[in-house]
Amino acid sequence: MLKGLDVLLINDTETRMLAGNNNLVQAARGVLALGPRTLVVKHGEYGATASSATTAFLPRATGARTIPSGRRRCL
């Protein structure tokens, strides 16, 4: 169903639902197994996580804060 996609951008709830797994890390692996080359999972105001079959890119949590416009800034 998702084969041929370069990037799939969905939120964490959609990731869990699509994979049928409440563990987000396992759910992301399950969604990647469905075919997209890269998965970007949005975490609302907390940023996003991008991963592929071989790599995971995690957001920087230390020193990050949300500013009123919704953009994030790391201090």
Side-chain angles (χ1 to χ4, degrees), residues 10-21 24 27-29 31 39-42:
I10 56 179
N11 67 36
D12 49 5
T13 301
E14 294 166 333
T15 303
R16 290 181 178 107
M17 288 173 49
L18 188 57
N21 191 327
L24 191 55
R29 289 181 185 144
V31 171
L39 172 65
V40 179
V41 180
K42 301 180 292 178

Side-chain angles (χ1 to χ4, degrees), residues 3-59:
K3 291 190 186 305
L5 289 179
D6 289 324
V7 178
L8 177 62
L9 176 66
I10 56 179
N11 67 36
D12 49 5
T13 301
E14 294 166 333
T15 303
R16 290 181 178 107
M17 288 173 49
L18 188 57
N21 191 327
N22 284 330
N23 180 302
L24 191 55
V25 173
Q26 293 175 359
R29 289 181 185 144
V31 171
L32 283 168
L34 296 175
R37 292 177 53 190
T38 303
L39 172 65
V40 179
V41 180
K42 301 180 292 178
H43 305 290
E45 67 183 59
Y46 301 105
T49 305
S51 56
S52 67
T54 59
T55 308
F57 305 96
L58 303 175

